[in-house]
Amino acid sequence: MSMTMSQKILAAHAGLAEVRPGQLIMANLDLVLGNDITAPVAINEFAKFGLSEVFDKAKIALVPDHFTPNKDIKAAQQCKQMREFAYSKGIENYFEIGEMGIEHALLPEQGLVNAGDLIIGADSHTCTYGALGAFSTGVGSSDMAGAMATGKAWFKVPSALKFHLTGSLSPWVSGKDLILHIIGLIGVDGALYKSMEFVGEGVASLNIDDRFTVCNMAIEAGAKNGIFGVDEIALAYLKEHHQGSPKIYEADSDAHYDAIYEIDLSQIRPTVAFPHLPSNTRTIDEVGEIEVDQVVIGSCTNGRISDLRVAAKILKGRRVNRKVRTIIFPATQRIYLQAMEEGLLRTFVEAGAIVSTPTCGPCLGGHMGILAEGERAVATTNRNFVGRMGHPKSEVYLASPAVAAASALTGRISNPEKVEEL
Amino acid sequence: MKIEGKVFKYGSNVDTDVIIPARYLNTSDAKELASHCMEDIDATFAQKVEPGDLIVAEDNFGCGSSREHAPLAIKTAGVSCVIAASFARIFYRNSINIGLPILESPEAVKGIKNGDVVSVDFSQGVITNETTGEKFNSEPFPPFIQEMVAKDGLINYLKEEVLG
């Protein structure tokens, strides 16, 4: 039987020659992830096993990134519980705040993700690692607890959607615009329970950070996972960060897809998702006059070095609108340092933006940039649900770093292609 | 097992941020989470819900975050069952893993209004709108999941079946 990339990875980890969509399997995991919100619940559940050890100290990653640096006493208690568990169980991949970053930028950077891996994380954006040809998916805390105890998780084998990419993106258009375009096309449940597989000659024109962004938001279309075919660009990234040798899985030529979408990258416009669903998209040409109070550039979706470079290119030598609070979050300590060495942080500060330590912070309405009633933000984050960044009557518009930076200059959602006129 | 209660009905794409806003996720205390359940979409839900009541919703219920706090808040608030036309996948598996009964039935969702009294017979997979007398069938769980539910969730299942 022919299989997709995702199905082949699942079959290999379940010790099966083949799997078919809908089949329920128990599979061995290469990595199990949790953060300061989901791990405490998992740690309580893990205790019910009555085990003194986790299944593999090297295959668990614990990242305090959501409400850190500890935003209040309750958050501090949750981080303390996770830290004590990590030290008492000898978890090798626990990242204290000085070593940390937003989990989905951090794990690939730390060489914890390889092509062909099967990874679960108690965080919905765990699907990010498909950029490197891994099968990775978000689960809940009980699954994380079970995985820490057994090294296994159950899966329902997904069917798949194929996105065949051709052409290349225009200047100021990025992976964020591509994935927002796709979610607008198929809807927030357009890929429900399915894999999204990205292939075709257009893939070569997407840098690795664009691919992380695309896979990161697969969940916003309801997908189980997003995955790219592994090419030279992915291999170069893996060579730089990972010690092991990659396992490359290609879909069979006659693999079944529930639908195949042909996407010409050159036709993608800068795209914005209006409140309150990521599928509520409009191109920059259709947004009209939307004034904003805050701009957030960062997150597990768009806090990588390429994202910061684009923002800096627009903000360089200019000042943000005085009415716009502009907050920039490098996603990891290493990206922060790189941005410092490249002079990007100076550009941001001189433009009137603030630069934060890595944290999920405002993306989920945690801290470091909460919106008041009636306020609007343009954010490079991944969700614009009701109350996502603060007050239930605030609004989040999702966009690329280029659109966000251009909007910071003008105080309204703006087209980065017209940056010379701003 | 049979349950009966009144229905709180919602639309499509009820996300985990409205089921339990992230501002309350600095605790994993189930009762505290339950006291804020559905707050951003239905401010009085937590006061009005009574043990046994049901949530009925349209497509893609529970989309968004992986937070298990969402089904936990619903379960702890006293909700006996969530019926939806479809569920977001992480919410679906989290509910099974923690033992919150959920059923997919687009027909039942069409035939149930807010405030109706509904009963569910899980052994038969039959949903009855007691207010109108209409009956609906729901898709039964596959045997693997039935077994997990019978063992009262994922942790017990893994304890017995994997660690043995």
Side-chain angles (χ1 to χ4, degrees), chain A residues 201-347:
Chain A
E201 55 273 27
V203 169
S205 73
L206 299 174
N207 68 38
I208 201 72
D209 289 353
D210 280 328
R211 299 179 199 187
F212 281 127
T213 304
V214 169
C215 287
N216 174 273
M217 289 191 72
I219 178 69
E220 309 314 333
K224 185 161 200 149
N225 68 309
I227 189 168
F228 275 84
V230 177
D231 66 359
E232 293 305 317
I233 291 172
L235 288 172
Y237 182 94
L238 286 167
K239 195 175 174 192
E240 189 184 339
H241 294 89
H242 199 283
Q243 309 287 323
S245 42
K247 285 198 191 67
I248 300 174
Y249 294 90
E250 287 176 12
D252 291 318
S253 56
D254 57 347
H256 173 78
Y257 292 92
D258 293 347
I260 298 174
Y261 295 88
E262 295 288 340
I263 294 183
D264 178 355
L265 296 175
S266 69
Q267 297 301 305
I268 304 292
R269 298 287 298 140
T271 300
V272 179
F274 277 46
H276 290 284
L277 284 176
S279 58
N280 193 12
T281 54
R282 299 187 199 179
T283 69
I284 196 73
D285 315 299
E286 306 162 328
V287 296
E289 285 282 316
I290 308 284
E291 290 192 7
V292 297
D293 305 286
Q294 179 164 298
V295 166
V296 173
I297 298 174
S299 82
C300 61
T301 312
N302 277 125
R304 297 182 181 80
I305 194 68
S306 321
D307 302 314
L308 302 183
R309 285 178 188 147
V310 168
K313 211 167 160 183
I314 288 172
L315 296 175
K316 178 95 178 160
R318 299 186 172 94
R319 290 286 298 179
V320 304
N321 186 298
R322 286 198 65 218
K323 290 182 181 166
V324 181
R325 310 184 296 268
T326 304
I327 310 172
I328 299 176
F329 293 78
T332 69
Q333 287 284 81
R334 195 183 291 181
I335 294 168
Y336 195 107
L337 194 58
Q338 198 176 350
M340 187 190 294
E341 286 166 354
E342 294 182 15
L344 310 183
L345 303 189
R346 170 173 283 276
T347 297

Side-chain angles (χ1 to χ4, degrees), chain A residues 24 26 37-38 41 44-45 48-49 51 67 72 74-75 78 122-124 137-143 145-146 149-150 152 154 188-189 192-193 219 222-224 277 364 383 385-386 388 390 392, chain B residues 13 15-18 22-28 32 40 59-60 63-69 72 86-90 92-94 96-98 104 142 144-145 148 154-155 157-159 162-163:
Chain A
L24 288 156
M26 192 62 86
I37 289 180
T38 58
V41 178
N44 294 342
E45 292 298 308
K48 295 179 184 169
F49 284 100
L51 297 169
F67 290 164
D72 55 28
K74 285 181 176 175
Q78 297 211 115
D123 188 278
S124 60
T137 191
V139 297
S141 297
S142 291
D143 278 306
T150 65
K152 294 174 192 293
W154 65 273
V188 289
D189 57 357
L192 196 57
Y193 306 124
I219 178 69
K224 185 161 200 149
L277 284 176
L364 77 162
R383 292 198 174 120
F385 299 150
V386 170
R388 176 70 179 179
Chain B
N13 303 314
D15 62 76
T16 53
D17 278 288
V18 296
R23 59 184 178 275
Y24 303 120
L25 297 184
N26 54 4
T27 179
S28 45
E32 203 175 328
D40 285 357
D59 291 311
N60 203 27
C63 64
S65 149
S66 70
R67 62 190 70 156
E68 204 161 289
H69 312 66
L72 192 62
S86 66
F87 289 92
R89 58 158 287 274
I90 305 179
Y92 183 91
R93 69 183 288 141
N94 283 348
I96 291 166
N97 286 345
I98 70 160
E104 277 189 355
F144 168 85
I145 291 176
M148 192 151 51
L154 176 73
I155 304 294
Y157 177 86
L158 290 175
K159 259 167 114 167
V162 178
L163 296 176

Side-chain angles (χ1 to χ4, degrees), chain B:
Chain B
M1 190 173 89
K2 200 174 170 188
I3 55 99
E4 184 172 316
K6 72 174 184 302
V7 165
F8 290 80
K9 187 162 181 191
Y10 303 102
S12 291
N13 303 314
V14 172
D15 62 76
T16 53
D17 278 288
V18 296
I19 295 172
I20 180 71
R23 59 184 178 275
Y24 303 120
L25 297 184
N26 54 4
T27 179
S28 45
D29 181 78
K31 283 194 180 132
E32 203 175 328
L33 294 170
S35 72
H36 299 293
C37 189
M38 310 303 283
E39 190 173 290
D40 285 357
I41 193 176
D42 184 354
T44 59
F45 175 85
Q47 286 85 55
K48 288 191 302 199
V49 68
E50 288 170 24
D53 286 351
L54 293 88
I55 288 176
V56 176
E58 291 171 14
D59 291 311
N60 203 27
F61 186 86
C63 64
S65 149
S66 70
R67 62 190 70 156
E68 204 161 289
H69 312 66
L72 192 62
I74 290 173
K75 188 182 178 190
T76 309
V79 170
S80 60
C81 180
V82 183
I83 302 169
S86 66
F87 289 92
R89 58 158 287 274
I90 305 179
F91 185 91
Y92 183 91
R93 69 183 288 141
N94 283 348
S95 299
I96 291 166
N97 286 345
I98 70 160
L100 170 68
I102 57 171
L103 295 172
E104 277 189 355
S105 175
E107 295 73 26
V109 173
K110 279 198 195 95
I112 296 172
K113 293 193 304 296
N114 191 44
D116 284 355
V117 172
V118 165
S119 67
V120 179
D121 183 339
F122 289 102
S123 59
Q124 307 293 319
V126 175
I127 300 163
T128 306
N129 186 338
E130 302 289 349
T131 306
T132 64
E134 221 179 334
K135 286 184 189 295
F136 312 93
N137 290 314
S138 71
E139 194 66 28
F141 285 133
F144 168 85
I145 291 176
Q146 282 182 29
E147 200 184 336
M148 192 151 51
V149 173
K151 290 186 195 302
D152 200 24
L154 176 73
I155 304 294
N156 285 334
Y157 177 86
L158 290 175
K159 259 167 114 167
E160 291 179 28
E161 296 297 317
V162 178
L163 296 176

Side-chain angles (χ1 to χ4, degrees), chain A residues 68-80:
Chain A
T68 54
N70 301 339
K71 80 176 179 102
D72 55 28
I73 293 170
K74 285 181 176 175
Q77 292 293 134
Q78 297 211 115
C79 288
K80 185 179 178 203

